[in-house]
Amino acid sequence: MTATSGLGTPRLASPDLLRSVFRRHAAGVAVITARGETGPVGFTATSLTSVSADPPMLSFGIGTGASSWPAVAATDHVGVHVLGEHQQELAATFARSGADRFGPPTVWREGPEGVPLLDDVLAWTVCRVTARVPAGDHRIVLAEVVLGDPGGPGRPLLYHQGRFNGLRD
């Protein structure tokens, strides 16, 4: 196989190269929540993946340096929320370091297993954590869906080129 001139100039693997490549990859936006020792914690994730239908399982990645990691590392259950295009500000709040993520205007309630559940999302699940797999400076969390609701109205929020966007037809 020969290279074509349309491939551009290759760069050696680096964290910057990986980030640059994945800025080109549109991804759905989720917020992962958990109950921490001092209250609820959560973060914005674009790494949410369906893993298995039977049993129903999903996965997401979290950096071991993230403020939410100690709670996610210790908890048995997490909340997974699929955000709608009307929730760009919520996504930004949960992505921002040092933000009061559960203060106003965030609306939430305590759900089953003490998991913080966000209101007005497209879909949510409460999941039982089954594994935390080391992956470089992150952990891949595998979780079995216990219950959820896929019935929220609206269209999905996407993340692309470093920005939150709505889905276009």
Side-chain angles (χ1 to χ4, degrees):
M1 179 184 256
T2 59
T4 64
S5 61
L7 291 180
T9 305
R11 295 167 32 192
L12 292 175
S14 69
D16 183 54
L17 173 63
L18 186 66
R19 282 189 289 271
S20 295
V21 167
F22 275 88
R23 280 188 195 103
R24 306 292 301 238
H25 174 69
V29 181
V31 168
I32 311 299
T33 60
R35 181 177 54 195
E37 282 188 21
T38 60
V41 301
F43 64 97
T44 299
T46 57
S47 60
L48 182 63
T49 304
S50 171
V51 173
S52 169
D54 189 17
M57 293 186 76
L58 56 79
S59 71
F60 60 87
I62 180 172
T64 56
S67 61
S68 296
W69 169 242
V72 172
T75 193
D76 292 330
H77 291 84
V78 295
V80 177
H81 308 81
V82 177
L83 300 190
E85 64 185 357
H86 63 285
Q87 296 178 302
Q88 291 185 22
E89 196 54 45
L90 182 68
T93 297
F94 276 82
R96 192 170 26 253
S97 180
D100 182 5
R101 295 173 178 158
F102 289 90
T106 302
V107 180
W108 66 281
R109 65 190 182 286
E110 186 174 310
E113 305 295 339
V115 171
L117 293 179
L118 303 175
D119 283 357
D120 199 30
V121 295
L122 292 188
W124 62 266
T125 62
V126 171
C127 302
R128 182 179 59 82
V129 175
T130 60
R132 296 168 188 89
V133 181
D137 61 356
H138 278 60
R139 295 297 181 268
I140 305 303
V141 178
L142 295 169
E144 184 174 356
V145 176
V146 175
L147 63 104
D149 181 1
R155 295 164 54 104
L157 181 63
L158 300 178
Y159 189 72
H160 181 250
Q161 292 288 50
R163 295 185 13 216
F164 296 113
N165 299 282
L167 182 66
R168 292 185 212 130
D169 291 328

